[in-house]
Amino acid sequence: MIRRKAKVTSVETGETREVVRLTPETEEDLREIDRLREAGLLDHRNSFADDPGAWDE
Amino acid sequence: MPVRGEQLERRVRRMDAELSRLERAATRAITGEIADASRRLEREIRGLYLDALADTRGEDVAVREARARSLLARVEGLTDLTADVPDGELDVLVTGAAEAGASAAEDEVALYEDEARSARPRNTALAAIATTAVAAIARNGRQHQERIERHVVDGLAAGRGWGQVRTDLRQEAGILQRSAERHVKSTSVDASDEGHKATFEANGVQYEQLLATMDERLCGYCANRAGRVYELGDIQLPLHDHDRCTTVPWKREWQEAGLTDDEWFEAHRAESLARAQEGQRTGASPSERRRGLDKAPEPVWTPRTDTVAAREAVERIPPTPAPPPVVRPARPRVTEKTRSRGPTRPPTEAERVAARREFQGEWVAGARRKRSVALKHGAQQELGIRGLVYQTRRFNFTQAEMGRARIAARKMYEDTQAAFRRQGVAEVRLYRGVKTAYEDVGVIESWTTDINVARKFAGARGDIIEEVIPVERILISHRSPGWRDGRFGAQSEYVVMPHRPRRQ
């Protein structure tokens, strides 16, 4: 698994923090990603259209 | 005059609120202890890890691994984050949930009969529930202990910095907390079901009727049993993890006397079946299978679903969102039928433009759609993008579909790069919204030059990544030839790859 930290800015507070961006390289990595998603810790949206709710006014 | 279904449902919801309160208290105590244990471990291991990292620089892997093992021996006992989870919290939960279940069951029986009394389940039954929960949490703790120790060993063997290893350890603690929360919820439903059953039995109730929790995640097992009546003890709740269904009392003489609200349960069953997006599941539920049962219990009565009440209930259901995704392996499956075909002629320009339009139009409709997944594989194969495609549905692709996806990826990339060259643009400042602490990097993913679009995508509590990205990493953008916005309108979108193509 390639893990890359990215500096991010909180929309709510403007604070700077980090998220971890994961690139799976093996089937085991995919399972780990799956576990993170199941646990609600992983953002799995690739296209803007993956989250229709985000665009509701 | 029948006892109305709404009256039963109100009592059930009151009990559910009490269960939720108990669950929150138990969850807070248990996850709090896991968090404390995680912090203790970090505090103790940080210095040891940094020393070991410095000492073993330049050493071979075997030496680094041996050092990691010796390091772990010094923090023995700390890597099991559930070692100090308080058992008493689960005892309190089990007792409280059983009492809530018994009290609700008494209220339910009292709707039908002049006298009703609540009964406490046997202590041995409650003790068994608490013991099972403690054992399950401890078992999870040991599994994560192994993973934690592996992160330390692998981290030192690969020369990873402390920050990276700390992230892995925190991730394990987070997953452990979630699974503990799941166990707490199942335990509370299990104990309240015992309370229900003991009270039904004490009041001469020989049957129970399943009342499903009506939400958009209603599963096929619960839908299949909604409204059905079973002999007392044939159904044991929860049927599966996260199950919030319950049962209400039922007697033949009540039905014969017209006291049961059969019409309400017809509507309830019909609505449950319609809401279960996976369809009904007729076999043994997951928890029944764990108890060694291989088929579902037989109901003694099933509400009809061909009545006016049932039909009207279905018609009243508002449209539901898409079903939760199911994770499948990531490699594209190309059917055998087309695999054996020989080389095909190069595509015409018209075919290339058509492929670009087809796949770009699909991308702005969603990355989990079949052609968007094909486009990811196409970009990987055609441009040499690394990493595996994490996908939640398994699609079969024909050779022709994969061929078109590759053509589309190549055409998008060539046109986009040509446009950037004409404009003299070498890099672009882009933003992307993220909702959680982890994100899987898509083979291609949507970024934007408009920070407000990124803010919306992040949501009120999310974060924004800002990056200056070389144009060679951009597959296509809203400024590329032929781009068409999707149904959410203009989003100043750039479709970005994680690195420059390895195949030009």
Side-chain angles (χ1 to χ4, degrees), chain B residues 10 46 58 80 91-92 173 181 220 225 272 282 313 316 364 368-370 397 403 441 453 492 498 500:
Chain B
R10 257 198 308 278
R46 180 178 176 277
D80 179 359
D91 291 334
V92 171
E181 188 177 350
R225 299 173 195 206
S272 301
T282 55
R316 281 195 299 271
V364 293
R368 294 166 200 168
R369 299 165 78 96
K370 184 177 181 184
F397 298 110
V441 179
V453 170
S492 307
R500 289 182 170 92

Side-chain angles (χ1 to χ4, degrees), chain A residues 3 9-11 17 20-22 24 32 34-35 37 39 41 43-48 50-51 57, chain B residues 147 168 171 178 327 367-368 376 388 390 432 435-439 441 445-446 456-457 463-464:
Chain A
R3 295 162 195 269
T9 310
S10 162
V11 172
R17 47 193 184 197
V20 181
R21 309 199 75 219
L22 306 171
E32 187 173 348
D34 192 32
R35 290 171 65 235
R37 187 181 66 82
L41 297 171
D43 192 338
H44 171 50
R45 302 169 304 160
N46 286 163
S47 163
F48 286 151
D50 288 341
D51 191 357
E57 287 297 337
Chain B
R147 292 181 58 84
D168 291 338
Q171 180 184 313
R178 297 253 176 185
V327 173
R368 294 166 200 168
K376 290 179 182 179
L388 294 179
Y390 173 69
R432 178 172 164 80
K435 278 195 164 157
T436 53
Y438 293 89
E439 188 193 33
V441 179
E445 53 187 27
S446 298
K456 276 192 172 183
F457 196 54
D463 300 297
I464 293 173

Side-chain angles (χ1 to χ4, degrees), chain B residues 349-365 371-372 375 404-405 407-409 411-412 415 476 481-485:
Chain B
E349 184 57 16
E351 286 167 342
R352 299 180 77 214
V353 170
R356 184 191 66 197
R357 188 188 309 124
E358 175 189 348
F359 284 86
Q360 187 263 307
E362 194 76 348
W363 176 259
V364 293
R371 275 177 290 186
S372 295
L375 179 62
R404 268 207 317 282
I407 291 167
K411 177 67 174 162
M412 286 177 186
D415 288 355
I476 188 170
W483 175 274
R484 286 194 299 189
D485 289 324

Side-chain angles (χ1 to χ4, degrees), chain B residues 130-141:
Chain B
T131 305
T132 304
V134 170
I137 291 172
R139 197 166 49 243
N140 264 354

